[in-house]
Amino acid sequence: MIQALKRYKWPYLFIMPFFLLFLIFQLIPNIFTVVISLTKWNAIAKPQYVGLKNYQLLFCDQMFWDATWNTFIYWLISGIIIIVLALFIGSLLTSKQLKIKKIYSTITFLPNVCAVISMAIIFKLFFDTNEGLFNSILVSVGIPKQEWITGASLSKIPVIFLYSWRNIPWYTMIIVSGLLNISPDFYEAAHVDGANTVQQFFKITLPSLSNVLFFCFITLTSDAWKIFNESYMLKGPSTSNISLFQYMYDSGFTIFKMGYASAIGVVLTVILLVVSIVQFIIRKRQGEV
């Protein structure tokens, strides 16, 4: 071991910053979170050890289950919308028929660089019950105004809309990079064999992008389960659209139940870990097939 360290000291030295940052900002905080989840602590007084009491309270907390369900809906619906539209837009941006691609690429990527809070305020105006843009459109075609944010039944839609709109450009860029790596020879050969555009898409494009799409899905899963800004700024009545990450924030920094908030963080980490493992198992089996 010592000889290996001496032999590869420069490579180890170059990768050392990553491990230091991981240790300081990931590993130690995660261990600290697990420890605090076993205590009752208001961030000021000395923590009191309570064992698994926070977890027992957590699984009996209806607000926790509402937040978990909302986050699951955000992940599922937003994931489908983002992947499908990113794939569609990416295909358009790499199409030979599209002119002035740089302009369209810039316009496509703009939502990703806009400040989330600023856009959330604008979207809140769009979904306003009385004077919002979307209700104005509905009224113009004879449909009554809808309570997008103030009503419990529709309050998830603005969150999904904003989250999808903000993330589509990033995943479009990833998919475009994958599309550019597909050899044109495949499409030329398929065209000679008489395959139409739809057949080329399902027989060449999608299989060639399988690894890229899997990466997008894994990244999107991790990001969607930590959704916060959108649900916080477009908060609906009661727990109608609260996310799990937002509930953890409120528990820790609004009512100062740090132990309870840490328990939520541990459960959230476990959920992400389980979902990621399931995705990798499915991907591995697909690869074997």
Side-chain angles (χ1 to χ4, degrees), residues 23 41 49 71 153 174 192 205 221 230 236 260 282:
L23 178 67
W41 186 42
Y49 178 77
T71 308
S153 59
I174 297 175
V192 172
T205 304
T221 297
E230 291 82 0
Y260 194 72
I282 295 174

Side-chain angles (χ1 to χ4, degrees), residues 248-280:
M248 179 179 66
Y249 172 84
D250 290 340
S251 299
F253 298 100
T254 301
I255 58 178
F256 296 101
K257 296 171 63 175
M258 290 296 180
Y260 194 72
S262 298
I264 298 174
V266 172
V267 172
L268 179 58
T269 302
V270 172
I271 292 174
L272 285 173
L273 183 63
V274 171
V275 172
S276 299
I277 291 174
V278 170
Q279 290 173 336
F280 274 102

